[in-house]
Amino acid sequence: MAVLNEADNILPVCQELAETFGADSAIEILAIDDGSTDATVKKLLEARQTLLPRLRIISHPKRLGKSAALRTGIAAANGQWIATIDGDGQDDPSAILTMLERATSTQGVPPLVVGVRRKRNDRLSRRIATRFANGLRRRLLNDGCPDTGAPLKLFPRDLFLKIPQFEGVHRFLPALLGHYGAPLICIEVQHRARLHGNSKYTNFNRALVGIRDLLGVMWLQNRTHLPDHLTEH
């Protein structure tokens, strides 16, 4: 869970995580604070004290971006499977259990599972911008994913750490992991209204950065050559 200035949302989100995963000691829960300037870290420490004793909290010294925060958490994690979730309360963590079941029951190369938001609980302008961005991305990258920006994703840790790091990489995982052979599984998930506060992104800055990143991913796909199979003699 990557968080930035989510002090008002931390406790209810951690409460829900505790209710969903609290009894399963095999599941590791990490919160990566991306240089928050409010009481986010204080609330995370409170959550660990009262709700999630095994919560691991890692802080960036300054804001580096969501993708950097996710990579920090994924590199620090110990498990084979990684699930990502936002810290604003819009995601239902119980969906992760369904996603993990689908992933572990799949034969062959471990998949990427994306929780596609069935009905976006965002303002109309955000929904229109997202629909346009998803359509453009699918047309140019042919990644087969209707909602690549969905926060709920589950994938193999070692495969994620193979791909290049850049801010925005979390929005292109279907294309990038698919290039490494990971099949894509999409399942519908519930999308709720944000508990408190506002999104850290505007439609304008997401559009400008998204176009630049899209061109970069197209370049990566064109320049990354991988063998279909290996023969050892």
Side-chain angles (χ1 to χ4, degrees), residues 119-137:
K119 183 179 179 181
R120 291 288 300 271
N121 241 305
D122 289 321
R123 62 182 184 272
L124 179 61
S125 61
R126 174 65 54 85
R127 297 199 303 270
I128 292 173
T130 300
R131 188 176 298 119
F132 172 79
N134 278 327
L136 179 63
R137 187 207 67 258

Side-chain angles (χ1 to χ4, degrees), residues 76-159:
N78 296 305
Q80 174 189 358
W81 291 98
I82 298 293
T84 61
I85 186 171
D86 275 357
D88 55 14
Q90 290 194 274
D91 304 316
D92 181 356
S94 65
I96 293 173
L97 298 173
T98 302
M99 297 166 74
L100 182 60
E101 182 180 0
R102 287 289 303 275
T104 54
S105 63
T106 301
Q107 302 297 317
V109 178
L112 162 67
V113 185
V114 176
V116 176
R117 294 166 286 192
R118 180 169 57 247
K119 183 179 179 181
R120 291 288 300 271
N121 241 305
D122 289 321
R123 62 182 184 272
L124 179 61
S125 61
R126 174 65 54 85
R127 297 199 303 270
I128 292 173
T130 300
R131 188 176 298 119
F132 172 79
N134 278 327
L136 179 63
R137 187 207 67 258
R138 272 187 293 173
R139 179 179 295 273
L140 295 179
L141 298 182
N142 193 30
D143 60 12
C145 184
D147 187 14
T148 190
L152 280 170
K153 296 185 178 74
L154 185 139
F155 45 84
R157 175 181 180 271
D158 60 345
L159 190 56

Side-chain angles (χ1 to χ4, degrees), residues 132-222:
F132 172 79
N134 278 327
L136 179 63
R137 187 207 67 258
R138 272 187 293 173
R139 179 179 295 273
L140 295 179
L141 298 182
N142 193 30
D143 60 12
C145 184
D147 187 14
T148 190
L152 280 170
K153 296 185 178 74
L154 185 139
F155 45 84
R157 175 181 180 271
D158 60 345
L159 190 56
F160 176 90
L161 293 176
K162 289 181 179 179
I163 63 177
Q165 165 64 17
F166 60 91
E167 184 50 37
V169 69
H170 60 279
R171 295 193 297 271
F172 297 96
L173 291 186
L176 293 170
L177 296 186
H179 203 66
Y180 280 80
L184 174 66
I185 297 175
C186 294
I187 66 170
E188 287 192 347
V189 297
Q190 180 185 10
H191 188 246
R192 306 177 295 199
R194 169 182 268 273
L195 292 176
H196 303 282
N198 300 306
S199 172
K200 309 303 184 295
Y201 306 99
T202 67
N203 292 337
F204 182 71
N205 64 29
R206 284 165 66 103
L208 289 180
V209 174
I211 291 172
R212 181 189 64 189
D213 291 345
L214 178 58
L215 295 174
V217 172
M218 292 173 64
W219 181 87
L220 278 173
Q221 285 185 317
N222 185 56

